[in-house]
Amino acid sequence: LVKSLGADKVIDYLKEDFTENSETYDVIYDAVGKLKYSKRKKSLSKSGHFLNVLTISGNIKLDVKDLLFLKELCATGKLRTVIDRIYPIEEIVEAHRYVDNGHKKGNVVITISHNDTLQ
Ligand SMILES: NC(=O)c1ccc[n+]([C@@H]2O[C@H](COP(=O)([O-])OP(=O)(O)OC[C@H]3O[C@@H](n4cnc5c(N)ncnc54)[C@H](OP(=O)(O)O)[C@@H]3O)[C@@H](O)[C@H]2O)c1
């Protein structure tokens, strides 16, 4: 899956600890927020940057220009999204259970139809 999204090299975290292979990186983006500070430090190059999905906070404002840019990236195939499962709103408890197991691939979508009423 990761290779199909454009990665040149994939390291399976269950088989290899990438912080122990003495390679360094200019950018590390921790997309699941699990990498410890001590570990990330030794894998960053001198001027390297560490980004963490958990520390992206504050009021992120998306305006129409940003959304059109995202649309363009999707339309041209530069941004490929991965949808693992799609649940109707009636099955939202099941959807949460699935997400809570911590192994979803990409994202889980909840569909809401015009006829659905939220109580
Ligand atoms: N989704 C959002 O919109 C969003 C927004 C802001 C913040 N966050 C936060 O970002 C974190 C990640 O969320 P998520 O939506 O991606 O769901 P998630 O359930 O935390 O991530 C699941 C994915 O992470 C992989 N994974 C688990 N542990 C890993 C590790 N140690 N190293 C590398 N990959 C690992 C799993 O692969 P395997 O199945 O192979 O184990 C699976 O593909 C969460 O803490 C969440 O609260 C999410």
Side-chain angles (χ1 to χ4, degrees):
L1 170 68
V2 178
K3 279 204 165 166
S4 78
L5 294 171
D8 295 320
K9 186 178 171 188
V10 176
I11 300 169
D12 182 343
Y13 78 97
L14 294 172
K15 294 186 182 147
E16 184 187 333
D17 181 346
F18 82 93
T19 65
E20 298 296 334
N21 66 11
S22 72
E23 281 190 46
T24 55
Y25 304 90
D26 296 327
V27 177
I28 296 177
Y29 175 49
D30 182 359
V32 279
K34 291 195 175 170
L35 192 61
K36 287 190 181 137
Y37 180 76
S38 54
K39 293 225 158 215
R40 75 180 78 147
K41 233 181 144 190
K42 58 184 187 178
S43 296
L44 274 179
S45 63
K46 260 190 181 164
S47 54
H49 295 283
F50 180 80
L51 301 166
N52 185 341
V53 69
L54 300 181
T55 55
I56 299 171
S57 60
N59 289 331
I60 298 172
K61 277 193 187 160
L62 273 181
D63 60 23
V64 172
K65 190 165 60 69
D66 297 325
L67 292 173
L68 288 174
F69 178 62
L70 279 174
K71 185 182 162 207
E72 176 71 13
L73 291 179
C74 289
T76 54
K78 288 179 182 153
L79 176 65
R80 276 169 282 162
T81 54
V82 177
I83 305 299
D84 186 341
R85 292 188 182 181
I86 300 175
Y87 291 87
I89 187 80
E90 296 78 19
E91 292 173 26
I92 195 163
V93 173
E94 194 48 49
H96 270 283
R97 279 204 189 101
Y98 182 63
V99 168
D100 286 348
N101 80 22
H103 295 287
K104 70 177 167 62
K105 293 180 176 20
N107 271 299
V108 167
V109 170
I110 303 296
T111 54
I112 302 174
S113 82
H114 290 299
N115 299 326
D116 289 323
T117 50
L118 295 174
Q119 296 171 4

